[in-house]
Amino acid sequence: MFTNIPLDLARKCQPRESIERSTLIPKKEFLNALDFVLNSAYFTFNGQQFFKQKFGTPMGSPLSPIIANLVMENLEVNALKKTSISIPFYFRYVDDIVMTVFSEIHKTHKF
């Protein structure tokens, strides 16, 4: 999943805590450094020439799981805000989700 996160989507997601509160590096410089790292993914295949990864977060980068988690968190928060149903239990680990949702019959009938 990590390498399937589009970089433009990753750039739009902000961490739960503000960057300014987490580091002394100005936000603009932090994001520029992040862009540099994410756009510098080169690798070799079969000992041949160098290739540049064109899509997604870099394979093998320690940043990729963090970026994927931020993107998933952003997507789930926005999706859960838009639902009108009650979700009593919700848990996500990376890209696996377990949740409970009651059907309409449970709301109208008592068992």
Side-chain angles (χ1 to χ4, degrees), residues 81-97:
K81 281 182 189 175
K82 292 179 181 181
T83 185
S84 61
I85 59 175
S86 173
I87 301 173
F89 177 79
Y90 181 92
F91 182 77
R92 178 182 55 84
Y93 180 75
V94 187
D95 61 343
D96 297 322
I97 296 171

Side-chain angles (χ1 to χ4, degrees), residues 19-86:
I19 292 170
E20 291 92 351
R21 287 186 285 159
S22 301
T23 182
L24 295 177
I25 302 170
K27 182 178 180 179
K28 183 178 179 183
E29 293 302 316
F30 182 88
L31 293 175
N32 285 341
L34 184 63
D35 276 341
F36 177 75
V37 170
L38 293 177
N39 286 307
S40 300
Y42 293 91
F43 60 94
T44 61
F45 178 72
N46 267 350
Q48 302 293 320
Q49 65 194 58
F50 284 91
F51 297 93
K52 182 177 188 328
Q53 185 173 328
K54 293 185 176 184
F55 181 81
T57 54
M59 293 183 286
S61 170
L63 280 177
S64 295
I66 296 166
I67 298 294
N69 193 46
L70 288 172
V71 169
M72 287 297 294
E73 181 180 342
N74 190 334
L75 290 172
E76 77 185 0
V77 166
N78 289 329
L80 292 173
K81 281 182 189 175
K82 292 179 181 181
T83 185
S84 61
I85 59 175
S86 173

Side-chain angles (χ1 to χ4, degrees), residues 102-111:
F102 294 116
S103 67
E104 289 299 316
I105 193 166
H106 289 110
K107 289 182 180 178
T108 56
H109 300 310
K110 294 188 179 192
F111 293 100

